[in-house]
Amino acid sequence: MTTVPPTAIETAEAVRSGARSASETADSALARIADLDRSLHAFTTVLRADARGAAARVDAMTVDSRAALPLAGVPIAVMSTVTLENPVIRPLIEAGAVPVGITAAPELCTWGMTDSDAHGVTRNPRDITLTPGGSSGGSAAAVASGMVPLAVGDDGMGSLRIPAAACGLVTIKPGAGVVPTDLPPSNWGGLAESGPLATTVADTALALSLMAGRPGLAEVGGAPEGLRVGVSTTSPIRLGTDIVPVREPWKRAAREAADLLRADGLVVVDSSLPAPRDPVLYLARWTSAVARAAEHANLPLSAMERRTRHHALLGRTVFRRGGAGDGDTRWNRAADALRVEVEKAMDAEGVDVWLTPAVADLPPEATDWHRRSWGRSLWASMRFSPFTPLANVLGWPAMSVPCGDTRTHAGRALPTSVQLIGRPGSEAELLALAAVLERGAPWQRTA
């Protein structure tokens, strides 16, 4: 029988109570990484010395000091874009977390699949023939495999929610400015936010509360009375027809989630989520964000993978400087117009939160996408994840939560997932709704 790894909260309680030392916990995590990561390639760097040093500091504390640590001895994985000195990570370490490794991401966090020349192909613990998604794919694979109970990543166009959905995890992309970060304003055009990946809503809420410096977020309450949820399963990328179809298992997941919320006493209505009037808004934001990230990293076009080079060049020459006038101004206006359309639709329906499928299909295969053309990587990312960019363009909080399941082509069980999107400041409400889904349809936490 396979033992389900403990959650972050359970791990911290064991260390605080003295049932297990932080050093034992760190060594166990490092052993799991040594065993499992040979096939998954989730980590680019294993921080053995840092992990053992951080664990030893926790063990050296007085009983009272250790009892005050919310994440006492909890092993965490950190995405390669986030340093240990980042204000995103610092409060987790101060709360007792033990960083055990740096996780893989695609070049410049561009793609919905995690692979690169530098670090190879990262694989999905639910089915190793599939990608764990991207760009926080290494972090998701580390959590879904049970190597760590908690990881941190960034989300620029869905880069937390995509891998969470691919691997059957819980995540939240907080609203703009909720979690302090050292990402410069120019990086990803203000689209990116940092957040946690975990196997439970409670772990996600605890990590977010620490990262945001808002302790109240850790206490997940019931959904507020009178909260109304709008359900949309229509593809948000369309030109008179659905360019990106939504497959039935993920439509079914949204319907099942809607039924669970209704059973909890919430009002749930069918309502079509508005799509951008300008059909290339998402592409413009995506490509220009990558161009900015390349400039910030001082990465010349000549040094990039072919697919990323084309993506950044398109963002730099077409959507930022090309066309009529100031490209940034045009797309800012288009984003503002989309925000108005979404708010009008919510007001007309009396909707507080949108519920959609998290993704539209199975994850793409785990392969060397970095050796393939720009068009193939673009289409693989788009057809898998048409729902996630909206929250980034709006700057609103959004979650991915497992609900239901399906089968991969290899016959493996894969949780399906739904997305919850709320207005600015609704992180607590989204967590409460996610908890309703978790109680009503518990998922297999790890592969």
Side-chain angles (χ1 to χ4, degrees), residues 154-177:
D154 287 335
D155 191 313
M157 289 290 272
S159 292
L160 282 166
R161 288 160 291 148
I162 293 168
C167 296
L169 301 174
V170 184
T171 193
I172 184 165
K173 180 198 81 68

Side-chain angles (χ1 to χ4, degrees), residues 91-399:
L92 301 178
I93 295 176
E94 290 172 352
V98 173
V100 296
I102 306 299
T103 56
E107 187 175 52
L108 296 176
C109 301
T110 305
W111 306 103
M113 304 81 70
T114 297
D115 59 275
S116 67
D117 261 330
H119 303 297
V121 177
T122 303
R123 298 182 178 275
N124 192 325
R126 303 282 182 177
D127 183 333
I128 63 170
T129 68
L130 302 178
T131 180
S135 63
S136 304
S139 285
V143 175
S145 63
M147 287 189 276
V148 294
L150 189 65
V152 173
D154 287 335
D155 191 313
M157 289 290 272
S159 292
L160 282 166
R161 288 160 291 148
I162 293 168
C167 296
L169 301 174
V170 184
T171 193
I172 184 165
K173 180 198 81 68
V178 171
V179 170
T181 178
D182 64 3
L183 287 173
S186 62
N187 197 18
W188 274 83
L191 298 175
E193 303 293 337
S194 300
L197 285 152
T199 63
T200 69
V201 175
D203 279 1
T204 304
L206 174 58
L208 179 64
S209 74
L210 295 166
M211 295 165 73
R214 293 171 52 184
L217 288 173
E219 302 299 325
V220 181
E225 187 176 348
L227 193 73
R228 289 171 60 92
V229 179
V231 182
S232 178
T233 60
T234 304
S235 174
I237 299 180
R238 51 187 186 267
L239 282 172
T241 186
D242 291 350
I243 299 175
V244 179
V246 183
R247 304 301 179 187
E248 180 56 30
W250 288 270
K251 290 183 177 181
R252 183 173 65 245
R255 293 194 296 267
E256 290 177 0
D259 288 342
L260 290 170
L261 296 178
R262 287 191 186 98
D264 201 63
L266 293 160
V267 176
V268 183
V269 298
D270 292 329
S271 183
S272 182
L273 186 63
R277 291 186 178 183
D278 192 325
V280 295
L281 171 61
Y282 291 160
L283 183 62
R285 278 290 193 234
W286 184 13
T287 57
S288 60
V290 172
R292 282 187 170 88
E295 292 167 1
H296 175 67
N298 293 317
L299 184 66
L301 291 172
S302 60
M304 295 181 192
E305 297 168 358
R306 180 177 58 157
R307 58 176 183 169
T308 312
R309 180 168 63 249
H310 291 175
H311 208 72
L313 188 60
L314 184 65
R316 179 185 298 179
T317 60
V318 175
F319 292 122
R320 288 179 60 193
R321 294 202 298 264
D326 185 344
D328 283 342
T329 298
R330 174 185 174 183
W331 303 117
N332 287 340
R333 288 174 177 167
D336 289 341
L338 177 59
R339 187 177 297 107
V340 169
E341 289 295 319
V342 173
E343 289 175 339
K344 281 183 177 178
M346 295 177 83
D347 291 341
E349 297 280 357
V351 167
D352 302 294
V353 172
W354 291 101
L355 167 66
T356 75
V359 293
D361 204 346
L362 289 170
E365 67 173 318
T367 189
D368 54 354
W369 290 97
H370 57 280
R371 301 185 188 278
R372 303 187 181 191
S373 70
W374 173 75
R376 292 185 72 178
S377 286
L378 179 75
W379 178 242
S381 294
M382 285 179 56
R383 70 95 185 153
F384 175 41
S385 180
F387 290 99
T388 57
L390 174 64
N392 298 90
V393 171
L394 298 180
W396 291 8
M399 292 192 70

Side-chain angles (χ1 to χ4, degrees), residues 2-28:
T2 301
T3 302
V4 178
T7 66
I9 290 174
E10 290 168 345
T11 299
E13 176 55 32
V15 172
R16 286 194 299 265
S17 68
R20 200 172 195 206
S21 72
S23 295
E24 290 172 327
T25 302
D27 285 342
S28 293

